[in-house]
Amino acid sequence: MNRKPWGRALISLSALVTAVGPYRADWNETHVYNPAWPPHAKFHNGQTMSLGLTLGATSLWQLWRRPTRAGLDAGAVLASLYWVTQISALAYPGAKAVDPPGEARFPQAKAAFPALAVTALGYLLERRRLARN
C-alpha cells in the first residue's frame, strides 16, 4: 500500500477522543467528585468512562494490527459506538443531558457529532485507499 493511511489516522483521532474524552469531561466536581451524586450514579459514570477507554483502545488495535477491510470496519464501528449510545441516551424516559441547575440542552453534541463525522470521513477515505491497493 503506497498511499498514506489518512482515513485510518482520522478514525484513530476519533478513537483517542473516545478513550480520553470521558475522563476529561467527567473527572471533576460535576461528576466523579460530585457529593450530590449517589454511589450508584457514580458507578454508572465510572462504567461509562471505562467503556469509552476500552472502545477507543480496541478501535486502535483493530485499525492498526493489520490494515485490512475487517480491521477498518471493526475499528470504525468501535470508534462510533460510544457517541451513538450517548446520543441515544436522550431517548430514555426522564433523561437529560445535564443536571440542574444546568440549562444546556445537549452540550455533548460538541464532541459526539464531530467524532462521528471524523470517523465517517476516515472510513470513506480508507475504503477508497484499500480499494486502490
Side-chain angles (χ1 to χ4, degrees):
M1 293 189 197
N2 52 8
R3 301 185 82 202
K4 295 196 184 295
W6 294 114
R8 225 171 268 273
L10 286 173
I11 298 168
S12 295
L13 175 63
S14 182
L16 287 170
V17 171
T18 300
V20 176
Y23 289 90
R24 297 224 352 110
D26 293 358
W27 200 270
N28 57 45
E29 67 283 347
T30 66
H31 287 72
V32 171
Y33 296 112
N34 187 340
W37 276 28
H40 192 67
K42 291 182 181 192
F43 166 85
H44 281 293
N45 185 225
Q47 178 184 22
T48 302
M49 292 188 310
S50 294
L51 178 62
L53 178 62
T54 56
L55 285 170
T58 308
S59 174
L60 291 169
W61 179 69
Q62 285 291 327
L63 284 169
W64 295 100
R65 69 184 176 115
R66 275 179 293 176
T68 63
R69 170 70 191 275
L72 171 64
D73 291 350
V77 167
L78 289 163
S80 300
L81 285 175
Y82 182 86
W83 306 106
V84 169
T85 59
Q86 185 178 67
I87 294 164
S88 73
L90 291 171
Y92 286 87
K96 300 246 186 227
V98 295
D99 285 326
E103 299 285 329
R105 296 193 61 160
F106 187 44
Q108 297 87 342
K110 292 176 187 171
F113 293 116
L116 289 171
V118 165
T119 301
L121 175 60
Y123 183 78
L124 293 173
L125 290 172
E126 191 63 15
R127 283 282 308 270
R128 184 181 315 170
R129 187 181 81 84
L130 288 175
R132 289 182 179 158
N133 293 306

